[in-house]
Amino acid sequence: MSKIEIICAFCKGTGKDPFDLLSKLATCQVCSGTGKVEIIEPAIKCAFCKGTGVYPHNARVTCTVCNGKGMVTVKGTTEECLKCKGTGTETESGLPCIKCGGKGVISKK
Ligand SMILES: [Zn+2]
Ligand SMILES: [Zn+2]
Ligand SMILES: [Zn+2]
């Protein structure tokens, strides 16, 4: 496990609030304005938001699965979640899959 720095998915590295929630000069709440976020490897693209860092049903909110980073840390060997078929989303409710937590994969035991 090691920490790596990635471009903030929520603001796409600009460091600015992408939706002008507070003001045009407001900093991104995910990366605190740096444009970059740290994640722990191994990490995969967040299935629930498809790596955008944005909550699918409300474009002004950060994804609750990856907290806006667009990537999520996984443990060990993973396999596709059969419940959501890797989408990370509950088909009926549209909420993050309860089995995989929205990652789309589950750790193999
Ligand atoms: Zn950001
Ligand atoms: Zn996400
Ligand atoms: Zn799932």
Side-chain angles (χ1 to χ4, degrees):
M1 292 218 302
S2 57
K3 259 190 192 173
I4 54 162
E5 223 178 36
I6 57 167
I7 303 270
C8 174
F10 195 62
C11 66
K12 299 186 177 63
T14 64
K16 296 276 184 288
D17 186 330
F19 306 111
D20 299 338
L21 277 191
L22 302 171
S23 84
K24 277 195 182 354
L25 299 174
T27 52
C28 170
Q29 57 189 307
V30 175
C31 60
S32 309
T34 61
K36 292 186 183 130
V37 285
E38 278 187 341
I39 53 158
I40 312 274
E41 280 199 301
I44 55 162
K45 194 164 85 171
C46 175
F48 187 58
C49 66
K50 299 183 176 63
T52 61
V54 180
Y55 192 73
H57 312 291
N58 184 344
R60 288 172 168 251
V61 180
T62 53
C63 172
T64 51
V65 175
C66 61
N67 294 316
K69 295 179 179 180
M71 302 274 288
V72 284
T73 303
V74 291
K75 282 197 194 110
T77 323
T78 55
E79 59 187 355
E80 190 181 86
C81 174
L82 294 175
K83 187 164 168 57
C84 63
K85 299 186 176 62
T87 63
T89 312
E90 294 269 355
T91 346
E92 281 166 32
S93 61
L95 294 172
C97 173
I98 47 167
K99 190 158 172 63
C100 62
K103 293 180 181 181
V105 294
I106 48 173
S107 297
K108 267 188 182 172
K109 294 230 171 64

